[in-house]
C-alpha cells in the first residue's frame, strides 16, 4: 500500500494504523502531531485509525520556545 508521508511516497506492508506508523518511524513517545488527509488525529486515536491506499499523512515535531 502506498501513502504520501510529508509529501513523499512511502510504501507500507499491508494494513497499518497511525500508531504502527509512528512506531515504525521511531517517533513513539516524542512530541509530534499527526494529520491524515488534512485532519488532525489525536494521540488517543493513533491505534484506532487505519491508513488506506493514497492517504496523505503529515507528521510534525512540536518545538518549544519562548
Amino acid at each position: 500500500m502506498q501513502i504520501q508521508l510529508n509529501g513523499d511516497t512511502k510504501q507500507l506492508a499491508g494494513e497499518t494504523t497511525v500508531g504502527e506508523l509512528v512506531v515504525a518511524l521511531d517517533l513513539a513517545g516524542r512530541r509530534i502531531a499527526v494529520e491524515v488527509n488534512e485532519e488532525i488525529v489525536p494521540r488517543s486515536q493513533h491505534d484506532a485509525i487505519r491508513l488506506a491506499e493514497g492517504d496523505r499523512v503529515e507528521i510534525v515535531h512540536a518545538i518549544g520556545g519562548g
Side-chain angles (χ1 to χ4, degrees), residues 38-55:
E38 301 182 5
E39 291 195 24
I40 297 291
V41 178
R43 186 179 303 269
S44 63
Q45 295 294 311
H46 284 188
D47 291 330
I49 302 296
R50 294 203 175 280
L51 298 172
E53 180 77 29
D55 277 350

Side-chain angles (χ1 to χ4, degrees), residues 19 21-32 43:
L21 178 62
V22 168
V23 169
L25 296 172
D26 198 28
L27 297 174
R30 297 194 184 179
R31 292 174 45 120
I32 60 170
R43 186 179 303 269

Side-chain angles (χ1 to χ4, degrees), residues 5-39:
L5 176 61
N6 292 347
D8 295 323
T9 301
K10 173 110 175 127
Q11 187 72 33
L12 302 177
E15 288 189 11
T16 303
T17 65
V18 171
E20 291 167 339
L21 178 62
V22 168
V23 169
L25 296 172
D26 198 28
L27 297 174
R30 297 194 184 179
R31 292 174 45 120
I32 60 170
V34 180
E35 183 181 275
V36 176
N37 299 326
E38 301 182 5
E39 291 195 24

Side-chain angles (χ1 to χ4, degrees), residues 50-64:
R50 294 203 175 280
L51 298 172
E53 180 77 29
D55 277 350
R56 295 179 321 275
V57 180
E58 296 289 327
I59 300 177
V60 295
H61 295 270
I63 299 175

